[in-house]
Amino acid sequence: MRTLILISILLSSPFFWAQSKEYYTLEEVKLYGFLNNDISNTSELNDSIIALANESATDLLRKEQNIYFKEYGQGMLASISMRGTSASHTAVFWNGVPINSRLNGQTDFNNLYLKSFDRIHIKKGGGSSLLGSAAIGGSINLSTPQEYNKGFSARVSSQIGSYDSFLNEVSVVNSTDSSITSSGIETYFSENDYTYPGLKQKNENGQIETYNLFFSHRSKLNESQHLYINSLFNISDKNNSGTLYAPSTANLKNNISNIMLGWFMKRQNLSLELKTAGIREHYNYLTNKDDLNSSLQNKSDVLFQQLDFTYTLNMKHRILLGGSYEYTHGYGESIFDKAYHKTAFYLLYAHTGTNVIQYNIGIRKESTTAFEIPWVFSLETKYRVSDKWNLKASLSNNFRIPTINDLYWKQGGNPDLKAEHTYNADFGIQYKISKHSFNLNTFLIEGKDVIQWQPTVQQIWRPFNVKEFQSMGIEWQDDHLFNIGSIRVNWRNQYTYTRAIDKFTGNIAIYVPQHYFHMDFGLTYGTLKWGIQQAYSGKVFYTTDESAYNEAYNLTNTYLNKRIYQGKFQVCFQVNNLLNKYYEIIASRPMPNRNYQLKLTLNF
């Protein structure tokens, strides 16, 4: 009933009936927009990829970018791991505003409302000079629609799956010559009681209930000035399933609100953007979902302000000068009441003047009331060898300050932690011919005082500064797009080799597979598409002394997609874990057996 009411509100909104005109693109200054994707190690998932995706944000990034996620069971916490680092070493942004939890420093990608974004930018490697704290392993920016004059569009979708899983989503976008308004809601419910492959046990206490809501509006004041408001809300209620050996009655409730106001001006070669954002996170953890007295509640409130000035000269030289201020307050029953202020100033220069050499240079200085942070820098360059060959290289130093949980969690925090510092280096080769492309990239991360959460002998996880941390590896990707008669073939292979170690002990970092591979193969004939995905993850250690590990696994998924009525109606049937393999990502937490999904989508 609640969903029907919200659908009625959305469809009765005045902008539903607005008309469309000629396209106009808002050239808004965004931190990621300043980067030249062709120079930096940055990839983009555009609106077409996101609109056609039948997966969660976690599965889409895993498939498209070969990113490893530590997933605590189907639909549970999904924390990202890029280039052998932890989730708090990947900076996540929403329209340029950092949204990683100030309490634990990470984002649960299973809670993201994928369809509320029209662009996802993924940068692998260091980026602190541009993006600040935590951009060590990589960074991700989630963007909302911002193109004028695209007319009206709406989407209604419903998905039913194994384990009594139901996902429903409705969204509308109306884009005229003077405003853009978009909104949507998504609900997901699942009993999540899957059977462990080869065992008689089931995943118990795994029920999930989530709600996502977004609203965005942009208006032209005149041809050079724009105002906008963006909002994103997530409410999740998840029971925490137990392990093979320890049942659980725990429950975690999250309520996250993000609201942003901004003003943008562009005149000839100059542009200016001012934004203010408020973020509130409230989580309630119950060790026994049936006992309200077992509750532990913690909150964080964030005020974030940012001003960016950009100057472009002859489309060959671009300068970005900016500053930001952040106030963060964390408080609750299991953390000490603490607050801090953070300021940042940064200067970046991009040169794209020749067809042979292009480069980006950046410097940044941040200050907090708790830590001394040095100047950081970055240099990225691209050298065009020929029409087919390109070389890329980058060098940067980066940092991350400890989170509130790192320092002040009453049961396991470590107030003696230091701020982290790393040096990152990349070198890559690109080759492209016709409809085939090949990319090889090598990376090195040398870290000092890197923070890692590790289990203690009391079975309590605590953060520690690893004296010397090193992560090095190779990333490979090849893409092929061609026709065989009337059949369109798309084929992508991605492989990552990562060796992340504590240089003091020589031991491999926990939950970092040395070998990680993903293959995506699809055939399209008219309005029918069939695809198969193959993933391989090498073994991962889950103890710091390498005494215990999860076995390597292969995973196969397949799907069949049919478009009807010129693509306005779409039906997708997907089978996950086709071969019914037993596998674990987190120790003693088996992932689902073979399962099915049927999704219906209506676009108009």
Side-chain angles (χ1 to χ4, degrees):
M1 179 62 67
R2 285 175 291 185
T3 302
L4 291 175
I5 293 173
L6 284 165
I7 292 173
S8 300
I9 293 173
L10 290 169
L11 296 181
S12 62
S13 299
F15 61 81
F16 182 90
W17 304 105
Q19 297 177 355
S20 63
K21 296 182 181 179
E22 182 182 2
Y23 283 7
Y24 173 83
T25 301
L26 171 61
E27 297 179 3
E28 181 182 351
V29 179
K30 302 188 302 298
L31 287 179
Y32 267 79
F34 184 83
L35 283 176
N36 186 327
N37 291 357
D38 203 35
I39 300 175
S40 62
N41 193 23
T42 305
S43 302
E44 178 186 281
L45 304 182
N46 59 31
D47 53 349
S48 297
I49 294 174
I50 295 172
L52 293 174
N54 295 299
E55 310 95 338
S56 64
T58 301
D59 290 332
L60 180 64
L61 288 168
R62 184 186 281 141
K63 179 187 76 173
E64 294 288 339
Q65 294 293 314
N66 203 40
I67 295 175
Y68 181 73
F69 284 89
K70 291 176 283 188
E71 202 168 4
Y72 289 72
Q74 175 75 10
M76 298 297 180
L77 172 65
S79 58
I80 194 170
S81 176
M82 296 181 71
R83 294 189 166 181
T85 62
S86 69
S88 57
H89 297 118
T90 297
V92 181
F93 297 84
W94 169 63
N95 296 301
V97 173
I99 60 170
N100 273 358
S101 168
R102 298 329 192 256
L103 297 174
N104 60 29
Q106 59 182 282
T107 294
D108 183 353
F109 281 77
N110 275 341
N111 279 347
L112 292 179
Y113 184 2
L114 177 63
K115 301 298 184 179
S116 67
F117 316 122
D118 75 335
R119 292 288 190 278
I120 300 178
H121 291 92
I122 303 98
K123 176 175 173 57
K124 295 182 178 180
S128 286
S129 66
L130 178 65
L131 304 169
S133 176
I136 292 176
S139 47
I140 293 176
N141 187 55
L142 311 164
S143 299
T144 52
Q146 55 186 324
E147 285 188 294
Y148 289 112
N149 276 322
K150 292 193 70 174
F152 171 80
S153 63
R155 179 180 59 250
V156 178
S157 67
S158 183
Q159 176 179 292
I160 184 172
S162 302
Y163 327 123
D164 293 327
S165 300
F166 303 92
L167 185 148
N168 296 285
E169 190 255 347
V170 58
S171 62
V172 293
V173 178
N174 191 69
S175 174
T176 70
D177 61 348
S178 61
S179 67
I180 311 165
T181 306
S182 57
S183 60
I185 182 172
E186 178 187 70
T187 63
Y188 177 66
F189 309 96
S190 178
E191 286 298 314
N192 206 23
D193 55 349
Y194 55 87
T195 301
Y196 301 153
L199 302 176
K200 296 182 179 180
Q201 292 176 253
K202 279 190 174 184
N203 186 57
E204 298 181 351
N205 196 53
Q207 292 85 351
I208 298 172
E209 182 176 344
T210 63
Y211 301 86
N212 285 296
L213 176 69
F214 86 94
F215 174 81
S216 175
H217 180 76
R218 298 172 183 267
S219 293
K220 282 187 191 179
L221 300 179
N222 50 51
E223 288 302 316
S224 62
Q225 297 188 65
H226 311 261
L227 286 176
Y228 60 85
I229 178 172
N230 296 319
S231 60
L232 184 64
F233 305 94
N234 169 259
I235 300 173
S236 66
D237 185 348
K238 300 181 180 182
N239 289 345
N240 291 2
S241 55
T243 67
L244 283 172
Y245 313 106
S248 171
T249 58
N251 172 273
L252 178 64
K253 294 177 172 63
N254 263 306
N255 192 332
I256 302 174
S257 303
N258 304 274
I259 300 177
M260 178 195 311
L261 298 173
W263 168 78
F264 168 72
M265 179 187 72
K266 181 175 176 62
R267 291 181 179 174
Q268 296 181 346
N269 296 334
L270 302 177
S271 59
L272 188 67
E273 182 178 18
L274 174 66
K275 66 178 66 171
T276 298
I279 304 172
R280 165 163 284 191
E281 177 185 5
H282 176 200
Y283 79 79
N284 182 8
Y285 180 76
L286 293 89
T287 55
N288 183 348
K289 64 178 186 288
D290 299 320
D291 182 7
L292 297 180
N293 293 323
S294 67
S295 168
L296 289 174
Q297 299 191 49
N298 293 309
K299 299 179 181 180
S300 69
D301 296 320
V302 177
L303 172 65
F304 180 84
Q305 296 177 312
Q306 183 171 280
L307 176 64
D308 285 326
F309 170 83
T310 302
Y311 176 73
T312 304
L313 177 63
N314 298 327
M315 301 305 294
K316 297 180 180 180
H317 309 274
R318 299 184 68 202
I319 297 175
L320 170 64
L321 177 64
S324 66
Y325 166 78
E326 180 180 319
Y327 170 77
T328 297
H329 180 208
Y331 52 101
E333 296 173 329
S334 61
I335 57 174
F336 297 104
D337 191 324
K338 295 290 181 179
Y340 67 81
H341 304 264
K342 185 171 68 170
T343 58
F345 299 94
Y346 43 90
L347 174 66
L348 296 108
Y349 168 73
H351 174 71
T352 58
T354 71
N355 291 326
V356 179
I357 297 179
Q358 302 175 0
Y359 56 87
N360 302 323
I361 300 174
I363 58 173
R364 184 187 190 97
K365 183 66 174 76
E366 283 202 15
S367 300
T368 73
T369 53
F371 291 93
E372 187 68 29
I373 301 174
W375 288 87
V376 293
F377 72 91
S378 65
L379 171 63
E380 298 177 308
T381 184
K382 174 186 175 182
Y383 178 72
R384 181 174 175 268
V385 180
S386 68
D387 291 339
K388 299 177 182 178
W389 291 92
N390 291 299
L391 302 178
K392 291 184 178 182
S394 68
L395 182 67
S396 64
N397 71 323
N398 306 280
F399 70 95
R400 182 179 83 87
I401 61 174
T403 65
I404 292 174
N405 274 11
D406 288 337
L407 295 165
Y408 306 120
W409 184 39
K410 292 179 180 179
Q411 296 180 351
N414 185 353
D416 298 322
L417 289 173
K418 305 174 185 178
E420 303 177 341
H421 301 92
T422 69
Y423 287 91
N424 295 48
D426 289 70
F427 178 76
I429 302 173
Q430 295 179 321
Y431 177 74
K432 184 174 183 179
I433 179 172
S434 185
K435 296 184 178 181
H436 307 272
S437 64
F438 305 86
N439 292 273
L440 175 65
N441 197 69
T442 61
F443 64 86
L444 173 66
I445 303 175
E446 292 282 353
K448 177 183 178 183
D449 297 324
V450 173
I451 298 170
Q452 289 187 345
W453 283 75
Q454 301 174 353
T456 65
V457 292
Q458 294 85 12
Q459 297 303 310
I460 296 176
W461 288 71
R462 295 196 67 200
F464 297 93
N465 287 112
V466 178
K467 290 187 177 181
E468 292 186 30
F469 172 84
Q470 181 187 80
S471 181
M472 58 189 302
I474 299 172
E475 296 165 334
W476 168 267
Q477 178 176 315
D478 59 89
D479 290 274
H480 313 274
L481 183 65
F482 54 92
N483 292 329
I484 301 177
S486 301
I487 299 175
R488 189 75 161 171
V489 180
N490 61 280
W491 181 15
R492 168 178 289 180
N493 297 301
Q494 299 177 90
Y495 168 75
T496 302
Y497 169 81
T498 305
R499 181 172 175 81
I501 62 171
D502 179 343
K503 293 180 69 175
F504 182 73
T505 64
N507 292 335
I508 295 174
I510 60 174
Y511 289 113
V512 177
Q514 284 193 331
H515 304 281
Y516 196 61
F517 170 80
H518 196 283
M519 183 273 292
D520 191 359
F521 182 83
L523 301 175
T524 303
Y525 179 76
T527 59
L528 186 67
K529 181 176 182 179
W530 170 81
I532 188 167
Q533 301 159 1
Q534 182 70 38
Y536 171 82
S537 176
K539 71 177 182 180
V540 296
F541 293 101
Y542 58 83
T543 56
T544 55
D545 61 358
E546 300 183 8
S547 61
Y549 60 87
N550 285 342
E551 295 283 355
Y553 63 84
N554 281 290
L555 189 65
T556 305
N557 300 329
T558 187
Y559 64 90
L560 187 64
N561 195 316
K562 174 66 176 178
R563 292 182 291 113
I564 307 172
Y565 301 123
Q566 298 179 338
K568 293 183 178 181
F569 187 69
Q570 181 175 300
V571 181
C572 182
F573 178 70
Q574 181 160 328
V575 183
N576 302 310
N577 194 2
L578 178 66
L579 304 180
N580 205 32
K581 295 279 189 175
Y582 179 95
Y583 69 105
E584 297 177 3
I585 298 177
I586 300 297
S588 302
R589 294 180 180 271
M591 295 297 288
N593 56 348
R594 184 188 299 116
N595 59 93
Y596 309 92
Q597 294 174 350
L598 177 63
K599 186 173 185 178
L600 308 178
T601 303
L602 176 63
N603 298 290
F604 56 94

Short mmCIF file of all heavy atoms in Angstrom, two decimals, residues 49 175 518 531 578:
data_model
loop_
_atom_site.label_atom_id
_atom_site.label_comp_id
_atom_site.label_asym_id
_atom_site.label_seq_id
_atom_site.Cartn_x
_atom_site.Cartn_y
_atom_site.Cartn_z
N ILE A 49 24.34 1.85 -19.28
CA ILE A 49 24.75 0.65 -18.54
C ILE A 49 23.94 0.51 -17.26
O ILE A 49 23.45 -0.58 -16.92
CB ILE A 49 26.26 0.72 -18.22
CG1 ILE A 49 27.08 0.66 -19.51
CG2 ILE A 49 26.66 -0.41 -17.27
CD1 ILE A 49 28.57 0.86 -19.30
N SER A 175 13.06 16.60 -17.77
CA SER A 175 14.13 17.53 -18.10
C SER A 175 13.65 18.48 -19.19
O SER A 175 13.40 18.08 -20.32
CB SER A 175 15.36 16.74 -18.58
OG SER A 175 16.36 17.60 -19.04
N HIS A 518 37.25 -12.17 -13.97
CA HIS A 518 35.84 -12.09 -14.34
C HIS A 518 35.72 -12.06 -15.85
O HIS A 518 36.41 -11.31 -16.53
CB HIS A 518 35.19 -10.84 -13.75
CG HIS A 518 33.68 -10.89 -13.76
ND1 HIS A 518 32.95 -10.68 -14.90
CD2 HIS A 518 32.79 -11.15 -12.78
CE1 HIS A 518 31.66 -10.80 -14.62
NE2 HIS A 518 31.54 -11.07 -13.35
N GLY A 531 23.46 -14.04 -22.00
CA GLY A 531 24.81 -13.79 -21.51
C GLY A 531 25.21 -14.79 -20.45
O GLY A 531 24.36 -15.42 -19.79
N LEU A 578 24.99 -20.97 -11.13
CA LEU A 578 24.38 -21.96 -12.02
C LEU A 578 24.78 -23.39 -11.67
O LEU A 578 23.96 -24.32 -11.72
CB LEU A 578 24.78 -21.65 -13.47
CG LEU A 578 24.29 -22.60 -14.56
CD1 LEU A 578 22.77 -22.54 -14.67
CD2 LEU A 578 24.95 -22.27 -15.89
#
